Amino acid sequence: MFSPAEVANNVIGIGKAKAGNKPYKLFLLGILAGMFIALAAVGANTASCTIANASVGKLVGACIFPVGLLMVLVAGSELFTGNNLIIVSVLTGDVKWTAMLKNWGIVYLGNFVGSILIALIACYSGQFGLFGGALAATTIKVATGKATLTFGQAILKGIACNFLVCIAVWMSFAAKSVGGKLAAVYLPIMLFVLAGFEHSVANMYYVPAGLFAASATGTAAEGLTWGNFFINNLIPVTIGNIIGGAVLVGVMYWAIYLADAKKAD
């Protein structure tokens, strides 16, 4: 495996490649990543929806969800939260700020499209009817909880989430095999789901899926609206994700392993 210092140097090149990719490829790869994360969310809800004990259900869902990030890393796609680490290449002077922000914007939009696509498929394929409608009920309950967070709660949960996600991505860069990447990714991602932290791309599935399920089943869910989704969840969670990933992981490791080398140059 690569040492932490070697990973930091490798991240520079990874960031350059991501920032230099063509916009249409970034968008398509973003759609794929959104689909991968959304499918993991479908699986997590499906596995936990009939478990009466809430903590056990949460644990079971958390054990399923890491497959989403593993698909992102191994199959090849672009995930907004992981791409927060491009900040390292910006700080070393290898990528311009504008290139990083362009990458983030295109990938974020692609992630949203991919997530909505899976939410629509899950709803209108009859997936939510599983277990006598238990999956629909769980999907609506999860979405309502996310849409009714306060702005501050969503930011803080977003910070904690993407700190763990970017740590998982960083650790995966140390591995030289698929098995090593799985081992690196699994526990930090399981931890963020188990703890109930907020991931912007996952929420691009969770909340719209709840909205679609509520509409399809005629269920009234107080607070579950598109407006609350964007204002109470997606916007603040995205801000928190950037702080947790770009600042607490990217800037931190740049300062530890790369800043002094840049000064020496």
Side-chain angles (χ1 to χ4, degrees), residues 39-217:
L39 287 167
V42 174
N45 276 352
T46 303
S48 64
C49 70
T50 61
I51 299 175
N53 187 304
S55 61
V56 174
K58 193 75 169 176
L59 177 60
V60 171
C63 289
I64 299 296
F65 192 84
V67 70
L69 185 58
L70 187 65
M71 287 191 288
V72 167
L73 292 171
V74 177
S77 58
E78 294 286 330
L79 184 65
F80 166 75
T81 46
N83 283 12
N84 285 174
L85 292 175
I86 296 174
I87 190 69
V88 174
S89 306
V90 172
L91 293 173
T92 60
D94 292 278
V95 170
K96 294 181 178 180
W97 283 95
T98 52
M100 178 187 73
L101 294 175
K102 181 179 178 181
N103 174 283
W104 286 2
I106 295 171
V107 169
Y108 191 86
L109 181 59
N111 291 165
F112 190 84
V113 171
S115 299
I116 292 292
L117 177 61
I118 295 300
L120 288 168
I121 290 172
C123 180
Y124 294 105
S125 67
Q127 178 79 10
F128 293 152
L130 286 177
F131 312 116
L135 180 54
T138 294
T139 301
I140 295 168
K141 180 180 179 181
V142 170
T144 302
K146 291 178 179 295
T148 54
L149 291 171
T150 68
F151 200 89
Q153 287 174 329
I155 286 179
L156 293 174
K157 286 175 177 282
I159 291 171
C161 171
N162 210 33
F163 174 75
L164 287 169
V165 171
C166 283
I167 286 294
V169 172
W170 192 278
M171 290 166 59
S172 78
F173 291 156
K176 297 181 179 180
S177 67
V178 172
K181 290 184 182 296
L182 172 60
V185 163
Y186 192 85
L187 291 177
I189 301 303
M190 184 184 77
L191 181 58
F192 105 67
V193 178
L194 182 62
F197 298 143
E198 296 289 317
H199 187 273
S200 56
V201 179
N203 291 351
M204 292 173 186
Y205 166 79
Y206 278 122
V207 184
L211 285 158
F212 296 152
S215 176
T217 60

